[in-house]
């Protein structure tokens, strides 16, 4: 079903999306917030720029944006997939607890903040370019992958990555030289087992946006994990 979002506020647009019985193509997005919040069992393609909290509380739907997206993409999403053929703003994947977010280019500040996992739900965020400061702040679970493409010579990761990290794992393509990590995490070359675990996500990135998996793997990865002696775990995880 085709929906023209021009002139619609976010409430009216979401009402039309919920009334659809199948897949939807939305044209003319101009900053409407909360698009597809909590939705399941459908594919939604957006042309234009969706506003804040795209796919918040997503519960199984697949969203593709043919362009950029604003802040809080995938806020507290549960399951599903969000694909951004451009850049995203700040706080993408805030408290994300399942599903996957794939970003072709760059992410703003605080991507993956409070990301968490539970049992078989393990959220994944793949950022093709660079990420701003406070990447993975208070990360409690899940996987964040930063590939360092499309960076225009800027640092792959901004300041203060992994601040308060107490779970999950972050992968940065290359040796992550020059990135200053806090003392409660360890940063070391990813093992073969580590890399084999993220290959499916790298293959999916190449399928979605183009690219060569061999080239992505050629430079190796740095794995950042909480130190087992990390005091933050005692603050945030119940025994």
């Amino acid at each position: 079903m085709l929906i023209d979002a021009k002139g619609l506020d976010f409430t009216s647009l979401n009402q039309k999306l919920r009334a659809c019985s199948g897949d939807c193509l939305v044209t003319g997005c101009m900053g409407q917030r909360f698009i597809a919040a909590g939705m399941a069992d459908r594919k939604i393609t957006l042309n234009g720029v969706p506003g804040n909290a795209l796919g918040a509380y997503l519960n199984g739907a697949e969203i593709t944006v043919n362009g950029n997206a604003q802040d809080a993409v995938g806020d507290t999403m549960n399951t599903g997939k969000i694909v951004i053929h451009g850049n995203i703003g700040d706080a993408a994947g805030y408290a994300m607890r399942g599903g996957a977010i794939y970003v072709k280019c760059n992410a703003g500040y605080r991507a993956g903040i409070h990301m968490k996992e539970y049992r078989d739900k393990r959220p994944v965020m793949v950022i093709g370019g660079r990420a701003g400061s406070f990447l993975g702040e208070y990360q409690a679970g899940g996987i964040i992958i930063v590939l360092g493409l499309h960076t225009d010579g800027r640092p792959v990761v901004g300041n203060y990555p992994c601040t308060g990290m107490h779970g999950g794992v972050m992968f940065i393509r290359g040796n992550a030289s020059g990135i200053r990590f806090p003392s409660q995490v360890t940063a070391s070359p990813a093992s073969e087992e580590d890399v084999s675990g993220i290959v499916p996500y790298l293959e999916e990135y190449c399928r979605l946006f183009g690219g060569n998996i061999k080239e992505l793997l050629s430079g190796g990865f740095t794995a950042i994990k909480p130190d087992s002696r990390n005091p933050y775990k005692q603050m945030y995880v119940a025994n």
Side-chain angles (χ1 to χ4, degrees):
M1 179 176 177
L2 175 63
I3 298 174
D4 184 358
K6 185 177 180 180
L8 297 179
D9 62 17
F10 72 90
T11 300
S12 300
L13 176 54
N14 271 320
Q15 286 174 343
K16 287 182 175 291
L17 284 172
R18 287 184 168 83
C20 291
S21 58
D23 299 343
C24 299
L25 171 62
V26 180
T27 62
C29 284
M30 297 184 66
Q32 291 94 338
R33 298 171 292 164
F34 310 116
I35 294 176
M39 291 190 180
D41 303 326
R42 69 188 61 192
K43 294 182 179 180
I44 300 168
T45 301
L46 304 173
N47 293 335
V49 181
N52 291 355
L54 168 71
Y57 308 104
L58 199 68
N59 202 31
E62 294 186 18
I63 302 172
T64 298
V65 179
N66 292 319
N68 300 324
Q70 295 182 5
D71 299 342
V73 171
D75 184 343
T76 324
M77 69 182 286
N78 190 40
T79 60
K81 181 191 291 185
I82 301 176
V83 178
I84 309 294
H85 287 265
N87 303 304
I88 52 174
D90 298 338
Y94 177 90
M96 182 182 178
R97 56 197 182 196
I101 297 175
Y102 289 88
V103 183
K104 180 179 181 180
C105 297
N106 305 318
Y109 296 152
R110 288 190 160 92
I113 180 174
H114 287 297
M115 182 185 283
K116 60 197 71 177
E117 63 184 81
Y118 182 68
R119 294 184 177 175
D120 62 338
K121 287 188 177 180
R122 194 177 196 192
V124 176
M125 183 185 303
V126 182
I127 299 167
R130 69 181 303 273
S133 297
F134 297 101
L135 174 68
E137 186 178 27
Y138 302 115
Q139 184 180 350
I143 300 172
I144 299 173
I145 304 170
V146 183
L147 300 179
L149 309 170
H150 323 295
T151 59
D152 299 323
R154 301 175 67 188
V156 174
V157 175
N159 297 322
Y160 314 112
C162 307
T163 300
M165 181 184 187
H166 53 282
V169 59
M170 182 184 297
F171 293 93
I172 296 176
R173 184 169 167 260
N175 61 19
S177 61
I179 300 174
R180 186 175 179 180
F181 296 103
S183 59
Q184 86 273 3
V185 305
T186 62
S188 58
S191 68
E192 289 186 10
E193 182 180 1
D194 285 333
V195 174
S196 66
I198 65 171
V199 164
Y201 309 122
L202 302 180
E203 290 175 335
E204 180 66 359
Y205 180 91
C206 291
R207 186 189 71 81
L208 291 168
F209 306 122
N212 187 302
I213 184 66
K214 290 183 178 180
E215 290 181 5
L216 290 183
L217 293 171
S218 63
F221 283 83
T222 299
I224 301 95
K225 303 177 183 180
D227 193 310
S228 60
R229 298 163 294 179
N230 165 16
Y232 286 88
K233 184 174 182 180
Q234 302 305 316
M235 295 172 63
Y236 292 101
V237 180
N239 293 321

